[in-house]
Amino acid sequence: MLHTTTPAPPPPDLFTTRQALDHELTTTDTFKALHASVHASSPSLTSQPHNHHGQEPVSGLHFTENTPHSGHVHTSGTVVITPDGTLTVRAYAIPGHRWLTALQHLGALHPHALRPGAEAIEPADPTTPSWTLRPQLKDRSFSGRLQPADHMEVTMLAELPDTVGDLNALLTVTPASRTACPAAWLLAAGFFHVLATGTPGQPQS
């Protein structure tokens, strides 16, 4: 089971209504990209709108693997966008190699860096953002942080990956402002595309 630390104070809301959030997600083609990834997914996924019964205007989708990939195990998860513009991908029973591949799509990631005490390796291209990873041996998890641009931040938390097993994990992409939302959401949609399809290309229209 994954354990989180004490959360920081929430950032200010960028969207005050569900309609405003949905409009921005539609005009930026974020919804279109997410659904295109589900359509192209392999193994095949099915998606449904994310139903949130709270007071805040949350939007997104829920996805489920159509056929179990191991025994009776289905990959499932959610893609949720909150009023502060943060997009969070949660995945349950996702193959560990698929999660690592999706992380590598966003930034340089060296598998050996997951070992405690491992030295960081600089990427061949110095302009490539690099993941900063921190293994947690106590609960067999690891957290990570990536700064792909000044106007956004990416964080993740996952169980220690197994090359042949599944894991539960989450990734958040947080824009610094409303104007940064389109770029942040595009980055997150690219991550979800790799997670859903296993290929690094951007989702097709």
Side-chain angles (χ1 to χ4, degrees):
M1 179 180 293
L2 302 179
H3 299 282
T4 58
T5 57
T6 302
D13 288 350
L14 304 179
F15 303 92
T16 56
T17 66
R18 171 70 180 268
Q19 290 76 13
L21 180 58
D22 283 349
H23 176 75
E24 192 76 6
L25 290 166
T26 300
T27 57
T28 58
D29 285 338
T30 303
F31 274 150
K32 185 177 182 180
L34 293 174
H35 287 292
S37 295
V38 171
H39 181 74
S41 58
S42 177
S44 179
L45 302 173
T46 297
S47 68
Q48 297 178 337
H50 177 72
N51 294 319
H52 181 75
H53 303 291
Q55 295 299 316
E56 61 179 1
V58 174
S59 193
L61 61 84
H62 177 274
F63 60 90
T64 306
E65 190 176 18
N66 291 328
T67 303
H69 64 267
S70 175
H72 298 288
V73 178
H74 292 259
T75 293
S76 64
T78 57
V79 179
V80 175
I81 305 92
T82 49
D84 61 358
T86 296
L87 189 153
T88 300
V89 178
R90 287 180 173 84
Y92 305 98
I94 188 79
H97 65 86
R98 181 66 69 88
W99 182 260
L100 291 178
T101 299
L103 291 181
Q104 287 175 313
H105 174 71
L106 299 184
L109 173 70
H110 301 278
H112 84 278
L114 300 177
R115 300 200 315 265
E119 295 183 5
I121 294 180
E122 294 297 328
D125 181 357
T127 63
T128 300
S130 240
W131 280 98
T132 300
L133 302 177
R134 179 176 298 176
Q136 308 288 341
L137 292 182
K138 186 176 180 180
D139 59 3
R140 290 192 54 77
S141 68
F142 74 102
S143 58
R145 180 179 179 275
L146 184 73
Q147 191 82 42
D150 291 339
H151 56 276
M152 70 179 78
E153 180 180 65
V154 183
T155 58
M156 56 81 57
L157 178 67
E159 295 171 329
L160 285 177
D162 185 327
T163 55
V164 296
D166 299 336
L167 54 79
N168 300 325
L170 66 86
L171 177 134
T172 63
V173 181
T174 305
S177 64
R178 184 160 179 164
T179 57
C181 285
W185 294 344
L186 179 64
L187 187 81
F191 171 85
F192 182 67
H193 180 76
V194 178
L195 199 66
T197 68
T199 59
Q202 290 291 335
Q204 300 298 311
S205 302

